[in-house]
Amino acid sequence: MNARKPVTLHRLREMHAAGEKIAMLTCYDAAFARVLDEAGIDVLLIGDSLGMVLKGQATTLAVSMEEMAYHTGCVARGNRSAWVISDMPFGSYQESPQLAFHNAARLMSQGAQMVKLEGGSWTAPIVRFLTERGIPVCAHLGFTPQSVNALGGYRVQGRDEAAARALKADAGQLVEAGAAMLLLEMIPAALAQELTNATPVPVIGIGAGSGCSGQVLVLHDMLGLTQGTAFRFVRNFLDGSASIDLAVRQYVADVKSGRFPDNTLHGF
Ligand code: KIV
């Protein structure tokens, strides 16, 4: 029996302000949604990483709106209390705010409570359009997997001073446009810490060190199912745990206590 109160955007904002860490994992189906929710995960992300982990594709680029809507519905039906974010797949928002609204509304009708989209200040008009129409937006900055070809592979972002400055400017403009959450992927820990301290909304990190308001990992990675070599910032929580439930509870406990991630293993 899950007695937890539903996690709301207001609660996530309070956690950010109080320095209480937010534990987030990706999730793609109802069975895992139930396990993760009951283990105390605050936020479930239906990531377009499903193209890689479920479909075996090399990138996230071929994930469709149909697939995102289907998996969002599955997760929403298995979940009771966690906040649910759904990724806007490649091609579903870049063209215009109107197209973005049409597709985001589809995800919201399947049970998403917020949508996530990738990109810097060029997405600000889209963020504003969605936010003004009642759709909370998480802005994904740093390494943005849908731009893997333009970025020249899986590379750390924001390393030099100019890149760090640009990233900070992007974050400021997106929050000003209404983004209710930021997600920072593969950036230096010091930069992520600085951005988190300066931002009024929760900042979730993946490969961004321990200074963010919360952490996210791809579910299959934290269960040791990574295909190929895992990034250094990934930890296999199933290793040494007797069950998936206990592995997820350990992840929640380690994020909340600050034991995960370990900045000495961050590497950048
Ligand atoms: O698609 C996804 O799983 C993501 C995470 C890597 C944050 O965007």
Side-chain angles (χ1 to χ4, degrees):
M1 188 47 193
N2 185 352
R4 228 176 20 141
K5 277 212 282 193
V7 178
T8 59
L9 195 49
H10 181 73
R11 173 75 191 121
L12 294 170
R13 222 175 155 130
E14 270 179 0
M15 289 170 80
H16 166 67
E20 208 181 310
K21 299 283 184 183
I22 298 166
M24 170 164 159
L25 282 176
T26 68
C27 187
Y28 316 101
D29 66 33
F32 271 108
R34 187 180 51 75
V35 171
L36 271 47
D37 176 38
E38 290 183 358
I41 287 289
D42 299 303
V43 183
L44 299 175
L45 169 67
I46 301 98
D48 59 358
S49 51
L50 71 83
M52 297 163 89
V53 295
L54 300 189
K55 295 170 67 192
Q57 288 166 335
T59 70
T60 59
L61 293 173
V63 175
S64 67
M65 265 310 297
E66 285 63 35
E67 288 164 340
M68 289 309 303
Y70 171 80
H71 287 281
T72 298
C74 293
V75 169
R77 285 187 292 275
N79 175 52
R80 293 180 123 195
S81 315
W83 181 252
V84 176
I85 307 178
S86 198
D87 261 347
M88 302 282 294
F90 184 61
S92 71
Y93 59 94
Q94 289 87 345
E95 203 176 310
S96 68
Q98 286 76 7
L99 176 71
F101 181 79
H102 173 81
N103 285 319
R106 235 178 117 184
L107 298 177
M108 300 297 277
S109 75
Q110 291 299 313
Q113 293 166 304
M114 173 179 247
V115 297
K116 175 164 82 60
L117 48 88
E118 298 181 8
S121 54
W122 66 268
T123 65
I126 302 171
V127 171
R128 192 180 302 283
F129 195 85
L130 297 185
T131 303
E132 284 173 347
R133 285 156 183 77
I135 300 183
V137 179
C138 171
H140 185 152
L141 293 165
F143 177 73
T144 44
Q146 293 174 10
S147 303
V148 61
N149 295 311
L151 295 174
Y154 288 80
R155 289 167 185 277
V156 178
Q157 303 296 307
R159 263 193 200 275
D160 61 54
E161 216 172 286
R165 209 176 318 116
L167 217 144
K168 286 190 258 186
D170 282 345
Q173 286 178 45
L174 290 165
V175 170
E176 197 276 320
M181 184 183 283
L182 299 182
L183 189 145
L184 304 176
E185 181 163 357
M186 294 210 324
I187 67 167
L191 175 59
Q193 171 86 70
E194 194 185 331
L195 273 164
T196 305
N197 294 346
T199 304
V201 301
V203 178
I204 309 297
I206 175 165
S210 60
C212 300
S213 334
Q215 298 293 325
V216 61
L217 282 179
V218 169
L219 175 64
H220 291 57
D221 287 345
M222 63 82 72
L223 295 177
L225 293 172
T226 307
Q227 292 159 30
T229 314
F231 288 112
R232 270 181 71 175
F233 57 79
V234 169
R235 189 191 300 170
N236 176 358
F237 283 84
L238 194 55
D239 199 7
S241 287
S243 66
I244 289 174
D245 171 58
L246 289 174
V248 176
R249 285 178 193 271
Q250 190 62 55
Y251 171 75
V252 173
D254 285 0
V255 169
K256 301 261 176 207
S257 67
R259 279 194 302 273
F260 179 81
D262 179 347
N263 269 2
T264 60
L265 298 177
H266 187 59
F268 43 88

